[in-house]
Amino acid sequence: MNIEQLISDLFYIKPEIAVAVTLVVIVVVDLIMGKNKKALPFISLVGLLIAGILVVQQFGTAKFVFKTSINSSLMAIDNFGSYFKIIVVVSSIFIVFFSLSSAEIKSTYARHGEYYSLIFGMILGMFFMVSAADLILIYLSMELLSLSSYVLAGFVKNSIRNSEASLKYVIYGGVSSGIMLFGISIIFGLTGSTNLYEINSLIQAQSFPSITLLLAGLFIIVGFGFKISAAPFHFWTPDVYEGAPIPITAFLSVASKAAGFAVLIRFIKVVFVDSVDVNGFWHLINVIDWKSIIILLSILTMTLGNFAALWQDNLKRMLAYSSIAHAGYMLLGVAVLSNEGIIAIMIYFIVYLFMNLGAFFVVMLVANEIGSEEIDDYKGLGRSIPLLGVALAIFLISLVGLPPTAGFIAKVALFIALIDANMIVVLVITILNTVVSVYYYIRILRNLYLVKVDEERPMLRINFLNKVFVLFLAVPLIVFGIYFTPIIDFAKYSLNILGL
Amino acid sequence: MHSVPYLSLITFLPILGMIIVLALPKTQGRAIKSLTLLITGIQVIIAIILLINYDYSLGGIFEQSSFQFVEKWRWIDIDGFSWLGKIKVDYFLGIDGISTPLLLLTAIVTFIATLSSWNINKSIKGYFALFLLLDTGMMGVFVALDFFLFYIFWELMLLPMYFLIGVWGGPRREYAAIKFFLYTLLGSVFILIVMIGLYFSTQETLADGTRVFTFNILAMMDTNNFTPNGILSPLNPNNLRFIAYIALFAGFAIKIPMFPFHTWLPDAHVEAPTPISVILAGVLLKMGTYGILRISYPVFPEITKQLIWYIALFGMINIIYGALCAMAQRDFKKMIAYSSVSHMGYVLLGMASMNTLGISGAVLQMFNHGTITAMLFLIVGVLYDRTHTRDMDAFGGIAVQMPVYTGVVTVAFFAAIGLPSLSGFISEAFVFLGAFAVDLIRVLTVISISGILLGAAYMLWALQRVYLGKLNEKWASLKDLTFREYAMFIPLALIIIFLGVYPSPMLDLMNSSVNSMVKFMADAQVIYSSFGGF
């Protein structure tokens, strides 16, 4: 590989470079400005916007960059990756806004430089993750993401809850990434390659011991499963989501999960798919029965998430289980092993971004005022937060998946993929899960509006900008629920995974 | 000719009203109420305009050309890949003889329910905003001819109803509201599955000759549109049409509510505030039977034919079981709620006959039950407002104190019993005549007729316990009806008496459609039997 090639390839990772530069700028500005941290969020937003624009410009590109040998390279720049980068950028922009009004984050004003640079560390990790075409790069970028998020989960040092979350996250994360690395090493041992595309052609060409391959595949899935919090690798999720500062929880629940899904889809599609037929169904190389494995994981994940959520009293913890359940639904999009399933996941993520971030944002604003995230403390609060209450209702209804919110469209897209693949039994299980989920989502609305309280609760003072901001999250859910052409078109346009 | 989009107007006017209500300040309670009354009043006027311009000769049911006031434009238009096809969803509204009576009913009942909401004093703004949203959902269900649109309207009603029962209801409102919500949601997710299954089994031919999957309900009825491999296509030998039919039917049956899915109804009714009970019984229950007639019947004619005995059986169970339960109640409102279960049984029985008489009777019974039950719930409401109890044994001799009110009660009760010259009689007679003509369900029909007797028993017993006999001294100071209450009762009573004496206008309205439905179902048997394999 010559140096000209390297430089011209750098051109293709402009978004990543933009993120890395912003990270450095934040560190430098933090050093120069000393105690005044006001500029940092602003710099972050500018950096994100630039990165976002660069990602948008990259749509339509399909190219392998950073060749390591003749037919293998480190990264694959394609629309699929760019799509998930957009999800990451948009949610990061929201997270920066969240952080501006979070009481928890405000309490750490002196360490804001650290905070924003770590956020950019996460973003950089995710950017590489969604485009990585090599197991080593996948591993490294996941570690970058994980290490940054371990610190962020425990960012408020004097909060015992935060530290506990962080510690649990480190332990679970360390173990699962270790297992994943073991899986990667087995694959390397078998095939002699770490490049996804090369492994694909190798296992097509010759037969490897299928038990070993299965084991390696499963080990690698442990790592991805950890990131998307699929059961049985979800144990960290409730504790970390409950303990971490709310903006970080929200970020983990959307962006980190999106990146995890992107890499999981790319891994399965690139490594194990033999061909894609005219109907968009994938035909796997006959080594690992991914369909059954993922169906199993997904049913386990959604059922566990939904049923565990029923018993939660802490709203953040409940939303953690709800996000596990949603990971279960989205896994079905992988399990159908068809392009339509991938489209469904992509649609789901756009919608999920708005509804989940929205729900966490409202929880954060309320927690700022009443200092609690307990569901019981929401009793009779409906009238104290007229706008937020309605917005929260929209977010929760969308999470249930009822029309006319976009959550319905996301669910329908998924159901369509399932019916098209003739997976009726799985569909029925999913639908029953949805019905169960109504119970815990509606419980919040019940506490807000239905429960009688003895004394009127005082009005909460919510900043005007935050109200506008809540609308920014809630209105798209209604608009996309009624007119969903744009999101489907966008997802459809971005389906292209390089290679097949 | 019909350049005015009347159906969109009648459907979305309440949304406009909702936005205005939300913009008005909280203190303007009177303005909010008046605005809602105005909106629902305009809906009644639009419904009457529709009725005046309605062409009685057109049948509707399965062909777009004979639907009236049709509005159809593309709503979602996505060009797909070879493997996905195009995604097209239409905004498709239209009415025929089955939906027009129900549209009219919805307009009237909503208007009356608004009047009855006048004494709501708790967060007026929220109440009327939700009320108007509910109104849009109900109207939309009766005018939508695209399954996707239909489903959205169907689900749109769920949340307002949850809050209306849950916030403004009685002591056990939380339980009743969540029970209603979970039950109906469970029903509607089954409908959703079938909807998607049908989507993949039906392809419409566009103007340019390409074939695309469609949610158009009318296209789903046309056997030429079936895809060879769709899971709900009769062309596919391994199709799941039977299971899908059961799922769809169960989804609608929960709303009716059909035994054994009826348990949410008494709870919801007892806890709901009076106007919401009126809407629930007057309109929402009809959606179940309407959905069966609009979708289950013509889309799955061959399976309907196989199952009519069971439909009639459940109709019979509803009639008898509902009546027996009603008889056992002490709570006045619960009794009326169970009487609804019983009366909806007649609709099922009429539909099972699959002949003109029976189906006319069923549709007419939907309309009549809507007006009669609305009145019955208002009657309970009037009494409850004044006495704050619904225990029938706590009353007695109310007639002495409230003679005019008792007169109204008598009309409603006798109509519910099915006394000749009141509207309930006509529809029940039609149902029985229609069902009796079918050999298969004759025995069930004969058993069901005893429901009339039981109906008379519980109604008259209630009349006696509450209104006749010696006046309970506790209620010696009750006042008779107010002007607003007159305004609620008189239109309903007039409709009941008018349709009892002269039902032709309503029967003419539905006649062509019912005939075309019966013919369609009969013709379909031949076509479907040619597919074989079921």
Side-chain angles (χ1 to χ4, degrees):
Chain A
M1 182 171 195
N2 54 32
I3 198 78
E4 290 85 38
Q5 183 69 38
L6 186 71
I7 288 167
S8 74
D9 277 355
L10 279 178
F11 180 77
Y12 287 95
I13 57 160
K14 277 187 295 183
E16 284 82 354
I17 294 175
V19 172
V21 168
T22 317
L23 198 164
V24 174
V25 170
I26 289 173
V27 174
V28 172
V29 169
D30 187 40
L31 283 175
I32 297 171
M33 301 287 280
K35 289 226 164 68
N36 187 354
K37 317 277 184 191
K38 288 221 164 63
L40 298 177
F42 182 70
I43 296 171
S44 309
L45 286 176
V46 172
L48 284 169
L49 279 178
I50 293 172
I53 292 166
L54 292 173
V55 173
V56 171
Q57 279 177 352
Q58 231 172 30
F59 269 98
T61 318
K63 191 168 161 56
F64 290 111
V65 292
F66 302 116
K67 281 199 181 330
T68 49
S69 68
I70 296 161
N71 46 9
S72 64
S73 44
L74 279 178
M75 288 173 78
I77 306 297
D78 52 19
N79 284 358
F80 177 78
S82 302
Y83 184 91
F84 281 93
K85 283 177 196 164
I86 290 285
I87 299 263
V88 170
V89 167
V90 173
S91 54
S92 309
I93 291 175
F94 280 118
I95 294 306
V96 173
F97 279 111
F98 282 23
S99 310
L100 284 175
S101 15
S102 160
E104 283 169 296
I105 300 300
K106 275 184 195 158
S107 74
T108 60
Y109 186 70
R111 297 193 294 132
H112 268 193
E114 210 178 307
Y115 179 77
Y116 287 104
S117 51
L118 282 167
I119 289 221
F120 274 84
M122 284 178 77
I123 298 171
L124 192 60
M126 291 188 269
F127 268 35
F128 277 111
M129 246 169 104
V130 299
S131 292
D134 191 284
L135 286 172
I136 298 295
L137 186 61
I138 289 177
Y139 180 77
L140 287 177
S141 51
M142 274 177 80
E143 282 305 288
L144 177 56
L145 167 61
S146 297
L147 290 172
S148 312
S149 41
Y150 298 152
V151 182
L152 284 173
F155 196 70
V156 186
K157 275 185 188 156
N158 47 13
S159 154
I160 292 174
R161 211 162 77 136
N162 271 206
S163 316
E164 185 190 330
S166 179
L167 187 63
K168 280 182 176 157
Y169 201 12
V170 172
I171 293 170
Y172 281 113
V175 171
S176 60
S177 80
I179 294 176
M180 181 177 165
L181 195 59
F182 188 35
I184 293 175
S185 73
I186 297 176
I187 294 239
F188 181 69
L190 280 177
T191 62
S193 168
T194 54
N195 182 279
L196 300 183
Y197 295 86
E198 211 169 38
I199 297 169
N200 175 278
S201 47
L202 284 169
I203 56 176
Q204 280 198 57
Q206 32 185 306
S207 68
F208 292 103
S210 59
I211 297 283
T212 325
L213 210 53
L214 175 69
L215 214 60
L218 286 181
F219 282 168
I220 293 178
I221 290 297
V222 171
F224 299 150
F226 169 77
K227 273 276 161 277
I228 63 177
S229 52
F233 320 114
H234 67 281
F235 291 102
W236 62 278
T237 314
D239 293 331
V240 172
Y241 280 22
E242 186 186 351
I246 297 179
I248 298 306
T249 306
F251 200 38
L252 287 176
S253 77
V254 176
S256 164
K257 192 169 275 197
F261 262 100
V263 70
L264 170 69
I265 293 167
R266 195 186 287 275
F267 174 69
I268 290 188
K269 181 155 185 198
V270 171
V271 176
F272 295 97
V273 170
D274 174 24
S275 62
V276 178
D277 69 14
V278 284
N279 293 320
F281 287 100
W282 306 349
H283 295 280
L284 291 185
I285 302 166
N286 203 8
V287 283
I288 300 178
D289 182 9
W290 282 117
K291 193 168 189 126
S292 315
I293 294 173
I294 295 175
I295 287 178
L296 208 72
L297 276 184
S298 124
I299 289 178
L300 192 67
T301 306
M302 70 172 100
T303 313
L304 190 139
N306 279 324
F307 279 89
L310 290 176
W311 318 116
Q312 301 310 319
D313 292 322
N314 181 294
L315 189 46
K316 259 165 92 184
R317 206 174 168 86
M318 192 215 86
L319 284 173
Y321 280 108
S322 126
S323 91
I324 295 177
H326 283 273
Y329 301 141
M330 286 188 265
L331 268 177
L332 286 177
V334 185
V336 292
L337 296 176
S338 73
N339 287 348
E340 205 159 347
I342 304 308
I343 288 200
I345 295 182
M346 292 162 102
I347 293 170
Y348 211 112
F349 258 113
I350 299 194
V351 177
Y352 182 73
L353 184 153
F354 286 103
M355 59 194 186
N356 220 35
L357 287 185
F360 275 116
F361 189 51
V362 174
V363 173
M364 185 186 89
L365 292 178
V366 173
N368 282 347
E369 292 293 319
I370 67 171
S372 160
E373 295 139 9
E374 295 299 310
I375 296 178
D376 279 347
D377 291 336
Y378 277 67
K379 278 186 181 154
L381 205 60
R383 276 155 218 222
S384 321
I385 43 167
L387 182 81
L388 289 194
V390 173
L392 185 58
I394 294 175
F395 299 135
L396 295 174
I397 291 309
S398 187
L399 283 165
V400 176
L402 290 182
T405 59
F408 172 66
I409 303 304
K411 285 250 162 65
V412 166
L414 199 61
F415 295 167
I416 282 183
L418 283 172
I419 288 205
D420 204 25
N422 248 325
M423 290 160 60
I424 309 291
V425 178
V426 180
L427 175 65
V428 171
I429 296 174
T430 315
I431 281 206
L432 293 179
N433 259 292
T434 313
V435 177
V436 171
S437 76
V438 171
Y439 191 80
Y440 60 83
Y441 290 124
I442 211 85
R443 189 171 149 218
I444 300 167
L445 296 183
R446 192 198 69 164
N447 276 359
L448 277 179
Y449 294 104
L450 268 56
V451 175
K452 269 209 183 89
V453 279
D454 298 333
E455 68 216 78
E456 278 289 297
R457 303 189 64 158
M459 289 292 278
L460 299 190
R461 282 183 300 109
I462 306 293
N463 186 325
F464 175 75
L465 267 176
N466 284 334
K467 285 186 182 168
V468 173
F469 208 61
V470 165
L471 287 179
F472 261 108
L473 287 158
V475 172
L477 285 175
I478 299 289
V479 173
F480 288 142
I482 294 166
Y483 187 71
F484 45 89
T485 311
I487 48 175
I488 297 188
D489 269 334
F490 184 28
K492 215 181 65 185
Y493 173 68
S494 315
L495 177 71
N496 205 1
I497 299 182
L498 204 58
L500 278 162
Chain B
M1 175 180 162
H2 304 298
S3 52
V4 187
Y6 284 116
L7 297 183
S8 293
L9 258 172
I10 202 171
T11 309
F12 290 106
L13 203 60
I15 290 271
L16 182 73
M18 184 185 89
I19 293 166
I20 303 175
V21 164
L22 288 176
L24 285 171
K26 249 182 219 157
T27 45
Q28 294 291 321
R30 240 192 126 69
I32 290 173
K33 286 172 181 172
S34 311
L35 178 78
T36 312
L37 194 66
L38 180 73
I39 299 251
T40 48
I42 296 174
Q43 281 184 306
V44 174
I45 293 168
I46 297 176
I48 291 170
I49 294 175
L50 290 175
L51 214 56
I52 292 169
N53 292 317
Y54 189 83
D55 183 344
Y56 284 49
S57 64
L58 294 176
I61 305 293
F62 61 95
E63 48 185 4
Q64 195 192 320
S65 57
S66 63
F67 271 89
Q68 304 184 35
F69 307 99
V70 170
E71 291 166 37
K72 186 175 184 181
W73 2 286
R74 188 115 295 161
W75 167 25
I76 301 297
D77 192 348
I78 298 167
D79 285 328
F81 301 99
S82 58
W83 44 269
L84 187 65
K86 294 175 173 173
I87 300 177
K88 310 261 184 237
V89 183
D90 284 330
Y91 175 82
F92 184 18
L93 309 180
I95 51 174
D96 65 357
I98 308 279
S99 42
T100 313
L102 295 169
L103 197 66
L104 185 66
L105 174 74
T106 309
I108 295 170
V109 169
T110 316
F111 179 74
I112 306 259
T114 313
L115 281 175
S116 155
S117 306
W118 222 254
N119 46 11
I120 294 278
N121 288 319
K122 185 177 164 191
S123 20
I124 297 172
K125 197 168 147 175
Y127 177 88
F128 284 94
L130 290 166
F131 185 88
L132 287 165
L133 188 62
L134 178 69
D135 191 1
T136 289
M138 296 188 298
M139 286 292 178
V141 164
F142 291 126
V143 296
L145 291 178
D146 187 278
F147 210 152
F148 198 85
L149 195 61
F150 175 90
Y151 188 80
I152 287 187
F153 284 126
W154 179 276
E155 291 279 66
L156 191 62
M157 292 174 306
L158 216 57
L159 213 62
M161 207 62 191
Y162 170 78
F163 283 113
L164 285 169
I165 297 174
V167 178
W168 288 271
R172 285 172 70 241
R173 61 215 168 115
E174 281 174 41
Y175 169 76
I178 192 74
K179 193 167 176 184
F180 165 81
F181 196 99
L182 287 177
Y183 248 105
T184 22
L185 186 74
L186 188 67
S188 47
V189 290
F190 285 121
I191 299 175
L192 178 65
I193 304 183
V194 178
M195 176 181 100
I196 298 172
L198 282 169
Y199 172 74
F200 276 114
S201 309
T202 322
Q203 279 189 326
E204 208 176 9
T205 311
L206 292 183
D208 61 0
T210 50
R211 279 164 71 78
V212 293
F213 290 124
T214 179
F215 284 112
N216 184 337
I217 297 176
L218 305 185
M220 289 169 180
M221 299 174 194
D222 188 342
T223 45
N224 297 322
N225 290 336
F226 287 124
T227 56
N229 299 318
I231 54 165
L232 296 184
S233 158
L235 304 176
N236 177 356
N238 304 319
N239 68 59
L240 301 172
R241 282 173 74 83
F242 192 82
I243 298 171
Y245 186 85
I246 303 280
L248 186 63
F249 197 91
F252 289 132
I254 287 175
K255 205 81 163 194
I256 296 175
M258 187 181 87
F259 178 87
F261 306 120
H262 65 282
T263 56
W264 63 268
L265 182 85
D267 288 311
H269 267 310
V270 168
E271 301 307 323
T274 305
I276 301 310
S277 282
V278 168
I279 293 219
L280 190 59
V283 182
L284 256 67
L285 305 192
K286 312 299 171 293
M287 285 175 184
T289 40
Y290 173 77
I292 294 174
L293 274 181
R294 169 69 66 226
I295 300 170
S296 295
Y297 264 46
V299 176
F300 299 92
E302 84 287 14
I303 295 166
T304 306
K305 182 80 182 169
Q306 291 174 39
L307 292 178
I308 57 167
W309 190 82
Y310 294 95
I311 298 175
L313 175 71
F314 279 110
M316 184 203 88
I317 296 177
N318 255 37
I319 294 173
I320 308 276
Y321 177 83
L324 289 174
C325 286
M327 205 178 289
Q329 301 308 321
R330 277 184 66 169
D331 184 319
F332 202 169
K333 210 169 178 186
K334 218 166 186 167
M335 185 208 87
I336 305 290
Y338 275 111
S339 87
S340 278
V341 175
S342 178
H343 283 127
M344 291 308 286
Y346 293 111
V347 181
L348 280 171
L349 186 66
M351 290 190 325
S353 74
M354 296 241 274
N355 55 29
T356 310
L357 264 179
I359 293 187
S360 301
V363 179
L364 190 60
Q365 171 73 358
M366 285 192 229
F367 185 88
N368 289 342
H369 175 254
T371 47
I372 295 169
T373 313
M375 213 165 152
L376 292 174
F377 277 112
L378 289 172
I379 284 167
V380 180
V382 164
L383 208 55
Y384 184 72
D385 282 347
R386 286 166 170 70
T387 64
H388 299 286
T389 175
R390 291 187 305 256
D391 182 359
M392 288 197 278
D393 293 334
F395 296 109
I398 301 287
V400 180
Q401 203 57 38
M402 303 172 74
V404 182
Y405 168 62
T406 310
V408 170
V409 170
T410 319
V411 171
F413 272 38
F414 283 165
I417 294 169
L419 202 71
S421 85
L422 294 172
S423 65
F425 171 71
I426 310 281
S427 48
E428 283 173 25
F430 269 53
V431 164
F432 284 128
L433 287 172
F436 196 76
V438 182
D439 294 336
L440 186 63
I441 59 172
R442 186 166 295 147
V443 177
L444 295 173
T445 312
V446 173
I447 302 172
S448 303
I449 292 177
S450 68
I452 297 203
L453 202 67
L454 292 170
Y458 65 78
M459 278 297 182
L460 292 176
W461 192 30
L463 192 67
Q464 185 199 342
R465 277 191 285 175
V466 178
Y467 298 98
L468 307 179
K470 210 165 121 336
L471 178 68
N472 184 338
E473 286 310 315
K474 217 166 129 195
W475 313 124
S477 59
L478 290 187
K479 295 267 187 310
D480 212 334
L481 297 183
T482 63
F483 175 73
R484 180 178 62 85
E485 286 162 346
Y486 274 119
M488 302 183 320
F489 283 119
I490 288 175
L492 290 175
L494 284 179
I495 293 171
I496 290 171
I497 296 171
F498 177 76
L499 288 180
V501 180
Y502 186 60
S504 303
M506 201 47 91
L507 289 171
D508 290 344
L509 184 65
M510 62 184 75
N511 196 32
S512 319
S513 291
V514 172
N515 279 330
S516 93
M517 162 86 95
V518 171
K519 185 166 178 311
F520 176 80
M521 297 295 284
D523 293 346
Q525 301 310 322
V526 183
I527 302 172
Y528 278 86
S529 61
S530 71
F531 295 132
F534 61 86

